[in-house]
């Protein structure tokens, strides 16, 4: 991602910064520890056997003692693994219950997440906000997500915040995140969902409480209507743009593509495939396939002057 | 021409076995090239050697090919060739049905690959299937998969599945009815026991897949809506059907690997298998438990806590009999006199890599941990450690071990060692780093990834392993071609082994044995060679 000055964080599952991810991390350390111990013991026995019992010069003709088995030994290496499995099962189930049955606290933010081929729609029912691909949440308190799909199966995965939960048509899944610190958290769709599965990126931006309130306020209301860019607005409203996109306060009420009412408040376009700059917007409208091959947005084939007007208009949609 | 006619019309289990294996190796080369193309695309970030459309077809066909056209036919081929010889029979119970099974498999395979010409997919003429090897609904519905590429995937596998089912029934019948005098079930070689469990698993696991595929055809052509979510269908239903097939399938693929290891490790350790009865019991336990673990592929779909906990338990439980097997192989090597011939080298590689695969499997079984690891490159690494590090290594071991029996010629040990070390190095270089890429948040099935996300090094290493693996496979092919004419004559029993296939000539005559042998123990050739201390005194 060349357009950001600061290096983006690496979304490692071993660098958790949110409550569910923390608990998964603790469980995973325990499981890793047990597995590492087994690896050392069994791998050690294998290495020892290979070295100790190799054929040596001179004993080619001698058959070793023929041992057929031992019930005591068999019992030992059946019971010990059973005990290990039992302990692992109990520990896993404890984490499972804790994470799956957590009730939303009173101050939790509710967001509906709707997966589309190949972008994310976010709806905040209490705040009346609709946005795309960049999920803004408050740091320090829980956000509960309701996951739905408009088309095929997707999967919501922001490794530092929580494990993944599938986004399935005709089903409603729940998951929650609780970022400890403000910051940017990266993720992407984790279930193959068609041509552009690879560029269905996710960003979660956790704000300090006051900043979140300010962001939420900036996302309500109809779009900026700057008379200086009226020609661009007219282009938008007179072409097929309106079939798929919504801009509050205009005739555009489409639901197939991202809501553009506050387009310029987002850092990226095309689900994180490109930076949200006027130049990239222009390139995207002109030929989406060049940025995201197979994207469902058609090339709009506008005259260059119309394109200039349109980009100028979109650039005002703060 | 006459020779070709002889092969096409044959009903001889040995010829059909060889045909299965050669077809499997042919498709192995094709699937390997598909994987190579994907690794080239992923070698560096933001690469555009392949378009997303082509990449999606490649991973779909690579997975489908490796499971159905490489793993299955090679396993069935080995079973076909070896089981009658090992139980002292002259052929399978139904030789013509056996030929039918092969040709159903082969035509199914051709039908799948005919999609390259006839698929008429989403992107214009000629398209291979592009919905992933587990073909999740509703991506396979008419709305999202136009054209016919998905239909080729469905029908090709349906046709091939008929062949697998008939052959499974055929081999079960053979094992139950055609054992030579004295060969009780308790004296069967472990290879036969493990394959017997595999064929029962095939009988139970394949029909759910076929049923789901027929339902999908109904959705696509008759307006049904089993899985068509836009008509009220259920996307998760497909996942249940698929994995009720798909997880036993993993054991259908790996148990034959265990079967080969259970024959080869004793011979090269010069000891009988440790704990024969326990090995049989563990196999049967795996067979049963494997039917109840499928939804561990679905921990992320939002099942109830109770269901998740059940599948956590069953999945962790299956590690116990699997662990018992590893311990018994180690027990067999313990106190032995290990000969490091190529078959044994591959078995030792298998033991190490399968240990890794089993442990990452335990990690994936811990459902919350799986929420992070599922559908990431960690899973890709895990199942390649199972199927390449586990199954393919034992298949290589089996090729070096039984090639002399099939052809009468020895493969070169020197080239074999090069093959082993190149392939083992390349395999680990390719797949160990993928664990890390997954932990760093790289999902599977993405055709490209961004720079500066910590993924460059691991992907570069992963691609760097590919040439070593190709070199290893190339050496195997050259070794086989060379040995057919120039290999040292094998004789009947080049490894000083103990099971019945080594009692007849190499290659065996069409009728296998001049006189049907009579056995008194699990190691009839040991009894012959050591009349002073035969096995039957100890069993």
């Amino acid at each position: 991602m060349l357009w950001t000055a600061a290096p983006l964080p690496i979304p490692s599952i071993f660098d958790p910064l949110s409550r569910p991810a923390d608990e998964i991390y603790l469980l995973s350390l325990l499981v890793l520890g047990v597995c590492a111990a087994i690896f050392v013991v069994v791998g050690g026995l294998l290495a020892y056997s290979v070295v100790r019992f190799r054929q040596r010069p001179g004993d080619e003709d001698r058959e070793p003692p023929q041992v057929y088995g031992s019930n005591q030994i068999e019992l030992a290496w059946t019971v010990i693994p059973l005990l290990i499995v039992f302990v692992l099962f109990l520990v896993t189930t404890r984490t499972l219950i804790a994470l799956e049955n957590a009730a939303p606290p009173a101050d939790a933010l509710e967001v509906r997440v709707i997966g589309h081929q190949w972008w994310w729609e976010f709806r905040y029912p209490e705040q009346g906000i609709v946005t795309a691909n960049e999920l803004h949440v408050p740091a320090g308190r829980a956000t509960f997500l309701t996951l739905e799909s408009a088309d095929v199966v997707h999967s919501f995965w922001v490794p530092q915040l929580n494990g993944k939960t599938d986004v399935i048509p005709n089903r409603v899944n729940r998951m929650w995140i609780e970022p400890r610190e403000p910051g940017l958290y990266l993720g992407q769709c984790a279930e193959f969902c068609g041509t552009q599965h690879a560029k269905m990126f996710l960003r979660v931006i956790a704000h300090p409480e006051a900043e979140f309130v300010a962001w939420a306020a900036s996302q309500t209301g109809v779009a900026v209507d700057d008379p200086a860019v009226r020609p661009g607005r007219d282009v938008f409203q007179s072409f097929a743009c309106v079939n798929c996109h919504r801009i509050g306060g205009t005739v555009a009420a489409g639901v197939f593509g991202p809501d553009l009412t506050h387009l310029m408040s987002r850092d990226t376009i095309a689900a994180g495939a490109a930076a949200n700059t006027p130049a990239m917007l222009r390139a995207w409208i002109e030929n989406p396939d060049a940025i995201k091959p197979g994207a469902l947005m058609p090339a709009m084939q506008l005259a260059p002057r119309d394109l200039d007007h349109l980009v100028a208009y979109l650039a005002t949609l703060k | 021409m006459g020779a070709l006619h002889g092969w096409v019309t044959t009903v001889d289990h040995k010829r059909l076995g060889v045909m299965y294996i050669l077809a499997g190796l042919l498709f192995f080369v094709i699937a390997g090239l598909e994987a190579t193309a994907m690794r080239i695309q992923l070698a560096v970030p933001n690469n555009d050697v392949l378009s997303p459309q082509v990449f999606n077809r490649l991973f779909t066909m690579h997975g489908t090919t490796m499971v159905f056209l490489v793993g299955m036919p090679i396993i069935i081929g080995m079973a076909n060739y070896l089981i009658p010889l090992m139980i002292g029979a002259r052929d399978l119970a139904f030789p013509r049905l056996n030929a039918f099974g092969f040709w159903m498999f082969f035509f199914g395979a051709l039908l799948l690959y005919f999609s390259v010409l006839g698929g008429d997919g989403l992107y214009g003429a000629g398209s291979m299937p592009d919905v992933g090897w587990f073909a999740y609904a509703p991506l396979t519905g008419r709305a999202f998969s136009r054209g016919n590429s998905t239909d080729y995937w469905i029908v090709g596998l349906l046709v091939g599945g008929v062949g697998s089912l008939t052959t499974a029934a055929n081999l079960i019948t053979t094992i139950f009815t055609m054992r030579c005098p004295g060969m009780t079930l308790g004296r069967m070689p472990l290879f036969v026991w493990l394959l017997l469990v595999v064929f029962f698993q095939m009988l139970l696991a394949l029909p759910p897949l076929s049923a789901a595929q027929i339902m999908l055809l109904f959705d696509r052509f008759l307006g049904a809506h089993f899985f068509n979510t836009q008509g009220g269908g259920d996307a998760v239903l497909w996942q249940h059907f698929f994995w009720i097939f798909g997880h036993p399938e993993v054991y259908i693929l790996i148990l034959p690997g265990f079967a080969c290891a259970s024959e080869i490790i004793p011979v090269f350790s010069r000891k009988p298998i440790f704990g024969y009865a326990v090995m049989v019991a563990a196999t049967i336990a795996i067979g049963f438990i494997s039917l109840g673990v499928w939804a561990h592929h679905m921990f992320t779909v939002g099942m109830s806590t109770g269901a998740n906990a059940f599948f956590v338990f069953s999945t962790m439980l299956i590690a116990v009999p699997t662990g018992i097997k590893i311990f018994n192989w180690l027990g067999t090597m313990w106190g032995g006199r290990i000969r490091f011939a190529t078959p044994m080298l591959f078995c030792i590689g298998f033991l190490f890599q399968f240990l890794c695969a089993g442990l990452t499997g335990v990690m994936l079984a811990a459902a919350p941990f799986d929420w992070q690891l599922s559908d990431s490159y960690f899973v890709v690494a895990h199942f390649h450690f199972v199927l390449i590090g586990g199954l393919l290594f034992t298949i290589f071991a089996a090729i070096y071990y039984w090639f002399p029996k099939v052809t009468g010629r020895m493969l070169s040990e020197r080239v074999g060692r090069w093959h082993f070390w190149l392939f083992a190095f390349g395999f680990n270089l390719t797949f160990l780093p993928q664990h890390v890429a997954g932990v760093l948040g790289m999902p599977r099935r993405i055709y490209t990834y961004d720079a500066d996300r910590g993924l460059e090094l691991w992907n570069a290493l992963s691609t760097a392993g590919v040439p070593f693996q190709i070199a290893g496979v190339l050496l195997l092919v050259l070794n086989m071609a060379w040995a057919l004419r120039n290999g040292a004559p094998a004789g009947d029993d080049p490894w000083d082994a103990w099971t019945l296939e080594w009692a007849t000539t190499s290659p065996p005559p069409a009728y296998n044995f001049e006189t049907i042998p009579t056995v008194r123990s699990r190691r009839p050739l040991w009894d012959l060679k050591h009349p002073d201390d035969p096995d039957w005194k100890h069993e």
Side-chain angles (χ1 to χ4, degrees):
Chain A
M1 295 193 182
L2 300 170
W3 61 86
T4 42
L8 290 164
I10 290 169
S12 166
I13 67 170
F14 291 139
D15 184 17
L17 289 163
S18 158
R19 229 195 91 202
D22 288 337
E23 290 185 23
I24 294 172
Y25 175 62
L26 285 179
L27 174 68
S28 64
L29 286 186
L30 179 90
V31 177
L32 272 174
V34 171
C35 288
I38 297 172
F39 179 80
V40 169
V41 171
V42 181
L45 284 174
L46 175 62
Y48 179 80
S49 307
V50 166
V51 175
R52 170 73 180 76
F53 301 113
R54 70 186 189 279
Q55 183 182 61
R56 292 182 173 80
D59 55 17
E60 284 86 353
D61 297 327
R62 181 184 60 81
E63 297 282 18
Q66 301 294 296
V67 178
Y68 296 85
S70 152
N71 286 340
Q72 288 82 6
I73 295 177
E74 297 286 355
L75 195 66
W77 65 41
T78 306
V79 170
I80 295 171
L82 271 175
L83 292 176
I84 296 175
V85 159
F86 192 62
V87 171
L88 280 180
F89 168 69
L90 291 181
V91 175
T92 301
T93 307
R94 190 181 60 180
T95 309
L96 194 64
I97 291 170
L99 294 182
E100 283 201 326
N101 301 340
D107 67 343
L109 176 70
E110 284 284 346
V111 181
R112 272 178 73 198
V113 176
I114 302 161
H116 295 259
Q117 282 185 322
W118 294 284
W119 61 282
W120 302 94
E121 180 178 354
F122 300 121
R123 290 177 168 267
Y124 298 61
E126 289 154 35
Q127 289 81 358
I129 296 169
V130 182
T131 184
N133 302 322
E134 296 169 15
L135 176 64
H136 292 257
V137 298
R141 66 181 165 108
T143 298
F144 271 68
L145 307 174
T146 303
L147 307 174
E148 300 162 46
S149 170
D151 37 52
V152 300
V153 180
H154 305 276
S155 192
F156 186 96
W157 189 29
V158 184
Q160 291 176 284
L161 301 182
N162 197 346
K164 58 189 74 64
T165 305
D166 291 351
V167 178
I168 303 169
N170 293 356
R171 294 214 171 202
V172 177
N173 270 339
R174 290 280 275 171
M175 72 178 285
W176 56 291
I177 55 177
E178 195 176 325
R180 284 200 299 274
E181 296 157 22
L184 172 64
Y185 303 89
L186 299 179
Q188 68 187 96
C189 177
E191 185 65 77
F192 178 63
C193 56
T195 312
Q196 269 300 350
H197 166 57
K199 293 193 176 178
M200 187 165 164
F201 295 109
L202 259 171
R203 292 178 159 221
V204 176
I205 298 113
H207 298 281
E209 196 63 43
E211 205 179 289
F212 176 74
V213 171
W215 174 84
S218 77
Q219 296 293 308
T220 49
V222 297
V224 174
D225 186 11
D226 183 350
V229 292
R230 269 291 158 72
R233 199 178 94 150
D234 294 342
V235 170
F236 190 90
Q237 295 195 91
S238 54
F239 281 89
C241 312
V242 296
N243 292 342
C244 296
H245 294 285
R246 178 179 170 273
I247 295 181
T250 73
V251 298
V255 294
F256 298 112
D259 187 307
L260 303 179
T261 308
H262 301 286
L263 171 65
M264 297 316 286
S265 69
R266 306 204 274 265
D267 289 333
T268 62
I269 55 171
N276 187 7
T277 62
M280 289 308 286
L281 270 175
R282 194 177 201 284
W284 172 249
I285 296 164
E286 205 170 10
N287 185 11
D289 252 25
I291 292 170
K292 195 167 168 178
L296 296 183
M297 171 150 156
M300 293 310 294
Q301 309 194 340
L302 300 177
R305 213 168 62 99
D306 286 346
L307 195 52
D308 292 337
H309 285 316
L310 181 59
V311 172
Y313 167 63
L314 292 176
T316 65
L317 299 176
K318 303 286 187 207
Chain B
M1 220 36 221
L4 184 68
H5 184 262
W7 282 89
V8 170
T9 58
T10 188
V11 295
D12 175 11
H13 73 99
K14 295 183 290 300
R15 285 193 159 194
L16 285 165
V18 170
M19 285 155 75
Y20 267 118
I21 293 168
L22 289 180
L25 291 177
L26 170 73
F27 284 111
F28 173 65
V29 170
I30 293 173
L33 292 174
E34 288 162 350
T36 304
M38 287 189 283
R39 278 318 321 167
I40 290 171
Q41 162 69 12
L42 292 172
V44 292
N46 294 315
N47 203 1
D48 55 4
V49 176
L50 299 179
S51 69
Q53 291 88 343
V54 170
F55 189 89
N56 295 346
R57 292 174 200 152
L58 286 177
F59 72 66
T60 302
M61 290 302 273
H62 171 77
T64 307
T65 305
M66 284 303 290
V67 170
F68 294 97
L69 312 187
V70 180
M72 296 287 271
I74 290 181
I75 286 161
I76 293 176
M78 289 197 301
N80 235 301
Y81 196 99
L82 292 171
I83 286 178
L85 288 168
M86 284 184 168
I87 63 172
R90 296 210 189 275
D91 206 316
L92 295 197
F94 311 109
R96 284 151 66 96
L97 185 66
N98 193 21
F100 170 80
F102 171 80
W103 291 107
M104 287 301 271
F105 146 72
F106 195 67
F107 286 132
L110 292 186
L111 196 53
L112 179 66
Y113 268 89
F114 186 73
S115 62
V116 177
L117 302 173
D120 189 25
L122 196 45
Y123 316 106
S127 167
M128 294 189 283
D130 54 6
V131 289
W133 88 275
F134 41 76
Y136 270 8
L139 199 59
T140 49
R142 270 245 172 276
F144 303 104
S145 176
R146 292 178 278 272
N148 293 106
S149 63
T150 296
D151 303 314
Y152 279 92
W153 181 85
I154 298 170
V155 179
L157 297 190
L158 266 179
V159 170
V162 173
S164 303
L165 279 179
T166 54
T167 305
N170 201 348
L171 279 156
I172 290 172
T173 314
T174 306
I175 294 170
F176 278 140
T177 61
M178 300 185 63
R179 300 190 308 279
C180 65
M183 182 160 294
T184 58
L185 286 176
R187 288 181 191 157
M188 286 199 309
L190 272 182
F191 182 93
V192 181
W193 255 114
L194 268 69
L195 268 296
L196 179 64
V197 173
V198 164
F199 292 123
F200 271 109
Q201 283 180 301
M202 277 192 200
L203 282 189
L204 292 170
L206 277 172
L209 175 67
S210 299
Q213 289 180 315
I214 291 167
M215 289 152 83
L216 183 56
L217 278 180
F218 280 15
D219 276 9
R220 289 177 60 86
F221 290 103
L222 304 180
H225 31 70
F226 294 105
F227 313 117
N228 172 9
T229 48
Q230 289 168 324
D234 190 346
V236 177
L237 181 65
W238 170 271
Q239 299 189 17
H240 281 294
F241 269 110
F242 189 87
W243 292 117
I244 283 173
F245 151 76
H247 206 82
E249 172 68 17
V250 174
Y251 287 91
I252 289 171
L253 291 171
I254 195 62
L255 283 180
F258 294 176
C260 296
S262 299
E263 293 305 319
I264 294 168
I265 290 174
V267 167
F268 290 90
S269 305
R270 309 307 304 158
K271 280 178 62 204
I273 190 81
F274 193 90
Y276 173 94
V278 178
M279 286 294 259
V280 171
T283 308
I284 294 171
I286 289 175
F288 275 109
I289 303 173
S290 77
L291 299 172
V293 298
W294 76 89
H296 68 217
H297 295 267
M298 300 164 59
F299 283 141
T300 59
V301 305
M303 291 184 298
S304 71
T305 307
N308 278 336
F310 174 85
F311 287 103
V312 169
F313 185 72
S314 63
T315 305
M316 287 184 171
L317 191 63
I318 210 168
V320 176
T322 312
I324 289 172
K325 285 188 167 297
I326 293 184
F327 292 131
N328 277 303
W329 291 317
L330 289 176
T332 305
M333 290 164 66
W334 196 270
R337 186 167 57 71
I338 301 169
R339 281 189 292 173
F340 294 105
T342 310
M344 189 63 182
L345 287 180
F346 275 104
C347 282
I348 292 169
F350 151 77
L351 283 175
F352 172 74
Q353 282 145 194
F354 190 74
L355 173 64
C356 298
L359 292 174
T360 53
V362 171
M363 296 176 204
L364 289 162
F369 199 5
D370 178 83
W371 295 337
Q372 290 285 20
L373 299 174
S374 175
D375 277 315
S376 78
Y377 256 81
F378 189 92
V379 168
V380 177
H382 163 73
F383 67 71
H384 281 91
F385 262 76
V386 175
L387 293 177
I388 307 297
L391 175 62
L392 190 63
F393 269 65
T394 51
I395 286 176
F396 285 149
I399 288 175
Y400 282 91
Y401 184 64
W402 278 296
F403 185 90
K405 176 52 60 185
V406 176
T407 64
R409 304 274 185 177
M410 302 296 288
L411 287 165
S412 157
E413 272 293 305
R414 196 183 148 84
V415 178
R417 276 195 295 275
W418 273 97
H419 169 201
F420 169 75
W421 287 108
L422 280 170
F423 199 84
F425 176 75
F427 164 77
N428 283 287
L429 186 57
T430 293
F431 293 104
L432 278 175
Q434 292 186 358
H435 292 100
V436 184
V439 162
L440 297 180
M442 182 168 173
R444 65 194 287 198
R445 298 177 161 182
I446 55 174
Y447 74 96
T448 190
Y449 54 93
D450 275 321
D452 301 323
R453 294 275 293 270
L455 300 176
E456 288 97 325
L457 173 66
W458 311 110
N459 278 286
L461 288 175
S462 194
T463 302
V466 173
F468 295 96
Q469 295 182 68
I470 292 177
V473 174
L474 211 58
L475 285 181
L476 171 68
V477 173
L478 293 175
N479 200 355
M480 290 200 293
W482 172 85
L484 274 180
R485 288 180 178 282
N486 307 310
D492 293 356
D493 181 17
W495 308 113
D496 192 5
W498 304 310
T499 39
L500 279 181
E501 76 270 29
W502 305 104
T504 185
T505 55
S506 307
Y511 43 85
N512 290 352
F513 301 96
E514 273 180 37
T515 50
I516 293 295
T518 303
V519 301
R520 294 186 67 181
S521 80
R522 291 170 200 143
R523 295 193 297 171
L525 270 63
W526 171 276
D527 295 351
L528 274 180
K529 292 168 191 169
H530 302 83
D532 49 318
D533 184 28
D535 257 7
W536 48 265
K537 284 189 178 167
H538 302 281
E539 281 172 6

